[in-house]
Amino acid sequence: MTARERTDFIRDIIDEDLRTGRHQRVATRFPPEPNGYLHIGHAKSICLNFGIAQDYGGTCNLRYDDTNPTKEDVEYVESIEADVRWLGFAPTAVLFSADYFPRMYELAEKLVTDGKAYVCDLDDEQIRVYRGSLTEPGKPSPWRDRSVAENLDLLRRMKAGEFPDGARTLRAKIDLESPNMKMRDPLLYRIRHAHHHRTGDGWCIYPMYDYAHPLEDAIEDITHSICTLEFENNRELYDWVIEHTGVSAGKVAPHQYEFARLSLDYTMMSKRKLLLIVQEGHVSGWDDPRMPTIAGMRRRGYSPEAIRAFADLIGVAKANSTVDVGKLEFCVRDDLNASAPRVMAVLRPLEVEVTTYDATGEVIDAPYFPADVGKPGSRPVPMARTIYIEQDDFQAEPEAGYTRLAPGRTVRLRYGACITCDEVVRDADGAIVKLRCSHHAESVGGKPPADGRKVWGVIHWVAADSSVPVEVRLYDRLFKVARPDDGDFRDNLNPGSLEVITGARVEASLATAAPGSRWQFERLGYFAVDTVDSKPGALVWNRIVTLRDGWAKKDEVAAPAVEKKASARAATRPKSKSPAEYRAEARVRDPELAAAHDRALAKGLTAEQADLVSGDRDTMTWFDAASAVATPGSAARWLINEVPRVAEGRELNALPFDGAALGALVQLIDAGTITGTAGKDILAELAKSGGDPVALAKSRAPAADAGALAAIIDDVIAKNADKAAQYRAGKTGLLGFFVGQVVKAAAGTADPASAKALIEQRLAAG
RNA sequence: UCGGGGAUCGUCCAAUGGCAGGACGUCAGACUCUGGAUCUGACUAUCAUGGUUCGAAUCCAUGUCCCCGAACCA
């Protein structure tokens, strides 16, 4: 990767895993199901998984998650690998889930033997009913308690093909009452007498995703299994499968991490709906240049570099978000600006006769790149008496702000001379058919016309005789609304997403442009030779993206603000209990807690504090122990506000110290023996490795006296003279910075409150 | 018996108790043989309300809003 450092929460986790020695290597995987073409959302995932492997010198497998033979196809398998490689990544290995079917089945028998899975005869409708709902527990299948021997026999007969599709399933025996629906005896195998693209008719039972995926990861020794947010609920089952099959025994098991998948406005990412768009003929195929597929973007002319830059730009996080398509277009332009040679083409030609021009065979040597790009190369551009300019570049009655050609006005022909419009030739209907212009021969080479007349602008052109006629396809976004999924996507298709221009002309040098090559047509945009329909002598060009255009922008209708979708679900769904309700209920159930609540109140705690220290047994015990030694109010404050910070998610009873130790610490602070800041330091130490707070307090350096403190402060101010100046100039927010620096420099011997006062004083004095 | 996640400029992502920062975008200017590029400047944010703290986007509490989960899909 470049010098720019990439960070995201997943790389943070990896850094931590490497630091602590949990892993010595990094192994990821990209696991698409071969049931469609890859799209820009997959590109994000590919860049993440392969990018991590590159950054950490690890491995990344391309693994087809082909566990459902009825939806998958070799066409997709081939397109996926091609897309991954085109994006610039080389899989460490290309693998298929189906190749693990024997091992998976073996482990399924082990689960059965261990009494952790059973064969269920319920049909799909019954299973759904038995599973319960989001708010109600499920109930056990009547087949849940079959003997191991019977289960094993039935499983083997399932595998042998003795039963029809849907007759039986293999289910994990977990917990029908789990609040996580995924844990309510999930299906492991279903019967499918179907031909598999890879295993043929070798199997008639196929593993479910939730069973197959963790095993695949474990078998491949994946360390970090990265997937999208909707699998968060599946993680518990992922871990269950690995633990109970023992597939990772003796090794470090893979762990699943979830990130937010990409949403792009004006774009649809659902594979199912993308398939419909193709099937219903709204586009020409999966690789139609309007499609958000990698194949479509490739054909459109997007480069792999641009797509990778986009993935970097948008980052990786856990918040659902919708990225502005403008960011993708920025990446595409940014890449092309530096890489695409400049040439000239006229989309809608307007004939211009340069009446004063009679040279023949004149050829202009025009550079491929402007000076600011600084790349070498040029091509010959023939001039002629008859040329074409863009119809848009002439207005018979120029509107305000128009800076191009008009009657009597002079403009420069790009790379050539300036011309002045002398005459507009119209047909019988008054339509403009051609222009007659005179030219200023002395103005070639960027020089101004000799008579000092104003040059309004620079326009592009091609010679009439030597330019070549081509077809140009102008693409716009496929959907006319930012959220095509609101309602039926078919209603939201942009009818103008493709405009075919047949009368366009490109300069002579482009006659042999290679399919797939990318160029900038000056002042128009970036274009690529179509790789499918273009033929020598009959070129077809795709517009990749327009140039950024400040003038055109003014005509553009402001995009309507994206309206927030009203949440029908939020209104109808039952509201979850709040923690406060849980605590109150716990006290109703448990008289000990109720008593603790009264006790806390009696000790003078506020109602809120009393509530918080009596919601569960652990907290109650801690508070009782702490308040036995320290002032109850202080004990409660520290327990409520400070302990959770250092616990970093651990339960109280998992901490290496207890309520009594907390009490002892708080007592020292109450008594003024140590400062609150020192107390926080000691608390952090306790949380890390336990110990005796009194001893820890004693071992600390004594508080700095006023003189020592002043010396530290002066030193910090001297070292940060620029910041001090900014502070004095009014950036008072920097006070916190100085306090932080001083506290750090004093290694805990300074009391921040008094330090702060002293710093303010010194800063003002300076 | 509901559970799991999430909320920071218009947009996307940072800041792991100490200067709210970057990019896209927008606006203004400079420059320009592309109304491009480049450069300069400006713009705009911590969901709300309390609390803890010398100091809170960050810790605690209460509330609000959003997403996911009840395929023999992945």
Side-chain angles (χ1 to χ4, degrees), chain A residues 2 64 147 159 235 258 269 344 351 378 435 449 458 518 586 588 627 662 679 708 718 763:
Chain A
T2 60
Y64 295 98
S147 69
K159 176 172 178 272
R235 190 174 59 230
E258 310 88 11
M269 227 66 96
M344 291 195 286
E351 186 182 324
S378 65
L435 266 28
V458 180
R518 307 178 181 97
V588 170
S627 60
L662 177 68
L763 244 18

Side-chain angles (χ1 to χ4, degrees), chain A residues 268-289:
Chain A
M268 222 170 44
M269 227 66 96
S270 152
K271 266 205 243 179
R272 191 179 60 81
K273 290 181 186 168
L274 254 18
L275 178 60
L276 284 175
I277 290 180
V278 172
Q279 287 176 339
E280 293 176 6
H282 303 295
V283 297
S284 64
W286 283 102
D287 67 345
D288 186 291

